[in-house]
Amino acid sequence: MTEVSEQIAGSPGGTMEPGKRTMPGDFSIAVRPGSGATLGGVNYGGERRQSMEGFEDTYTDIVDYIVRITHRIWEDQDVGYIYDTYSPGCRLYDDSGFRYGVESLVNGTMQSINAFPDCRHYADDVIWAGSDTEGFVTSHRAINIGHHTGPWRWGPPTGRRLETWVMANCVVWQNEIFEEWVLYNTAAKLQKLGIPVVEAARTYAREGGVTPLTERQFSEAHRLDGGRKPMPIPEPDNRAGFDVEGTVRALFHNTYNRRDLSTIDRVYADNVRWHGTTNRAGYGRSDVRAMARGLLATFPDLGVQVDEVYWMGNDTDGYSISARWSGIGTHRGFGLYGKPTGKRAHLWGISQLYVMNGRIVEEWSLFNEFDVIAQLVSEDGGPELL
C-alpha cells in the first residue's frame, strides 16, 4: 500500500475527510477473473486478506464485501439486508437526482426486482481505495442480464431481455455504505425494452421527477474565473513516474474547460477501447474525441469539475482509476440532442480509466443522460436522442 495526500476538492457532502487516503499499490485485492455472480452466504475468499475492523466476519476484503452484498440483495433478493449494509441516513445520487434515507433505497430496489425478477449482476470490476480506519471508497462496474417480466413505472412488462451495464461509487465505513453515486444507464435500459427515451423523459419531467438546479449539489467548474480566459493545466511530466491525479485533472480541465481536444491524443493510446452512456462504444482516439465534441457542441458554455479521483496500481502493472465529475451547461448548440432548447442542464458522471505505459488503453464512462434529457424536454417539444 502507498499513502497519497489527496485534497478532496469539490466532493459534495464530503465523502472523506481531506488529507491522506491509502491508494492500493497493486491488484492483490481485486475482482477475480471469471468469478461473475458469487454464491450468496459463502465465504468464497477463505481467510481475511485485509483489515476489516467493524465489518461482518464473513467478508475477506472490501472487494469481497461490495460484490457479495450486491449478490445477496439483488440475486438472493434479501432486500432487507440493505438495513444492515447502508446507514439509515445514507445519501443517494442516481440518474434521476438525489434521495436521502435507507427506506427510499429499499423501495427502489424492491420495485426494480419486481420488474426484473431473474436479473443477474455480474461484477466486472471494483476499483477501491482507503482503509478500515479512513473509510473505503469503491467504484463498482457490473453487467446486468435479465428479463422484463414485471410492471414498472414506464409501463407493463415487455418480456424483453435486458443486458446493460451500471456503475456505482460508494463510501463505506464499518460495514455500512453512507453515500452512493450510482448510474443505472437508464436510457440504455429503456432502449433495450423498446420504450422511447425522450417520451419517457418528458413524462418523468411532467410528473415532477426532475430536481431543480437550485436543489442539486455540485461543484462550481473553474472555467472562466472572474471573466478571464480559461488557462490550461500543465500536463504532468510522467517520465519519472505516472502522476495519476495530475493527469486526470488536467485531462478533464483541458479537454472540457479549455476546449483542447488534442489533449486526448496525448493522454489516450491510439487503440483505446471506449464504452459510454446509452450503449455507445468506440475504438481509437477519434471516437473519444467525437463524444467530447458532441458534449461541447451541445452545451457551448459547458464547464466541468473533477469531484473525486482515486486509483489502484503502479507504473509496472498499470493503473485502474475512478474519476467522478460534474458539470453545468446550456443547451444552445446542435450536437447530441437536436434543436437547442436554451435550457440549463446539470451533468454528472463516473469514469473508470485503465492506464498502461502512461496512456489510457480503456475507458468505461457513464453520465446521467436520462436525467439530462428530462431537464431539457418541455411540453412544446424536446430533443431527439441521436
Side-chain angles (χ1 to χ4, degrees):
M1 302 291 181
T2 59
E3 288 193 353
V4 178
S5 179
E6 179 182 86
Q7 185 74 27
I8 313 301
S11 292
T15 56
M16 186 172 285
E17 289 296 323
K20 289 188 176 181
R21 172 183 290 172
T22 302
M23 306 289 179
D26 56 36
F27 299 98
S28 58
I29 296 174
V31 167
R32 301 177 189 186
S35 62
T38 61
L39 296 176
V42 177
N43 186 353
Y44 73 103
E47 295 182 0
R48 181 159 278 182
R49 300 189 299 163
Q50 183 179 32
S51 178
M52 297 282 287
E53 185 177 350
F55 287 78
E56 294 179 40
D57 291 339
T58 184
Y59 298 117
T60 63
D61 52 61
I62 189 59
V63 173
D64 183 36
Y65 170 86
I66 288 294
V67 171
R68 287 206 288 136
I69 69 167
T70 302
H71 179 92
R72 180 167 169 178
I73 292 167
W74 289 93
E75 299 201 24
D76 291 347
Q77 299 186 8
D78 183 359
V79 179
Y81 193 47
I82 290 173
Y83 293 118
D84 299 325
T85 51
Y86 284 77
S87 67
C90 57
R91 300 185 295 272
L92 308 167
Y93 304 82
D94 63 20
D95 304 56
S96 56
F98 169 72
R99 292 175 292 149
Y100 177 82
V102 71
E103 289 299 337
S104 63
L105 179 61
V106 170
N107 177 55
T109 303
M110 191 65 74
Q111 295 287 330
S112 184
I113 289 177
N114 186 57
F116 303 93
D118 68 341
C119 195
R120 295 292 175 261
H121 301 256
Y122 295 90
D124 227 15
D125 200 6
V126 177
I127 300 170
W128 66 274
S131 68
D132 56 355
T133 57
E134 304 164 352
F136 289 103
V137 285
T138 64
S139 184
H140 180 196
R141 187 179 77 246
I143 307 297
N144 290 351
I145 301 174
H147 295 84
H148 183 211
T149 58
W152 66 337
R153 68 170 300 157
W154 311 113
T158 63
R160 293 195 181 192
R161 184 175 184 268
L162 173 71
E163 182 176 346
T164 189
W165 57 284
V166 301
M167 298 175 77
N169 281 20
C170 295
V171 183
V172 191
W173 172 255
Q174 298 210 345
N175 210 73
E176 288 187 341
I177 295 168
F178 67 89
E179 182 170 293
E180 182 173 51
W181 298 76
V182 57
L183 289 164
Y184 295 112
N185 216 351
T186 300
K189 291 173 70 173
L190 294 170
Q191 281 187 343
K192 285 280 188 180
L193 301 178
I195 298 170
V197 174
V198 174
E199 288 305 314
R202 183 173 290 113
T203 299
Y204 183 76
R206 286 174 184 162
E207 293 175 350
V210 177
T211 304
L213 288 179
T214 54
E215 297 179 12
R216 293 173 180 248
Q217 298 186 43
F218 54 86
S219 304
E220 180 180 0
H222 300 294
R223 190 175 107 74
L224 296 173
D225 288 336
R228 300 179 181 89
K229 62 183 179 182
M231 298 301 294
I233 294 178
E235 296 171 21
D237 181 356
N238 289 319
R239 287 176 294 182
F242 190 72
D243 180 351
V244 177
E245 183 166 4
T247 299
V248 170
R249 292 190 181 276
L251 168 64
F252 276 83
H253 174 82
N254 293 339
T255 300
Y256 291 101
N257 297 332
R258 175 73 179 180
R259 273 58 168 162
D260 180 3
L261 299 184
S262 71
T263 304
I264 292 169
D265 296 332
R266 294 188 293 274
V267 178
Y268 287 79
D270 57 3
N271 61 345
V272 61
R273 293 190 178 276
W274 174 80
H275 314 265
T277 307
T278 316
N279 292 336
R280 295 178 178 89
Y283 178 82
R285 296 166 179 157
S286 61
D287 286 336
V288 178
R289 285 198 306 271
M291 186 62 196
R293 281 200 313 270
L295 284 172
L296 290 169
T298 304
F299 303 103
D301 62 346
L302 179 67
V304 167
Q305 167 76 23
V306 173
D307 296 316
E308 186 175 45
V309 57
Y310 52 87
W311 61 90
M312 52 198 298
N314 55 68
D315 286 355
T316 301
D317 300 322
Y319 292 91
S320 298
I321 306 164
S322 172
R324 179 168 54 80
W325 53 271
S326 59
I328 289 284
T330 309
H331 186 208
R332 291 178 176 153
F334 291 87
L336 300 177
Y337 306 122
K339 184 178 179 180
T341 63
K343 295 187 176 182
R344 297 270 283 171
H346 166 236
L347 295 77
W348 74 270
I350 299 170
S351 297
Q352 292 182 340
L353 309 171
Y354 295 86
V355 172
M356 286 296 298
N357 300 319
R359 294 291 182 97
I360 298 172
V361 296
E362 187 167 10
E363 174 178 352
W364 293 77
S365 288
L366 288 178
F367 72 94
N368 59 327
E369 183 159 49
F370 179 77
D371 178 34
V372 169
I373 295 170
Q375 292 174 71
L376 301 182
V377 295
S378 62
E379 297 292 336
D380 55 355
E384 298 295 331
L385 182 62
L386 302 180

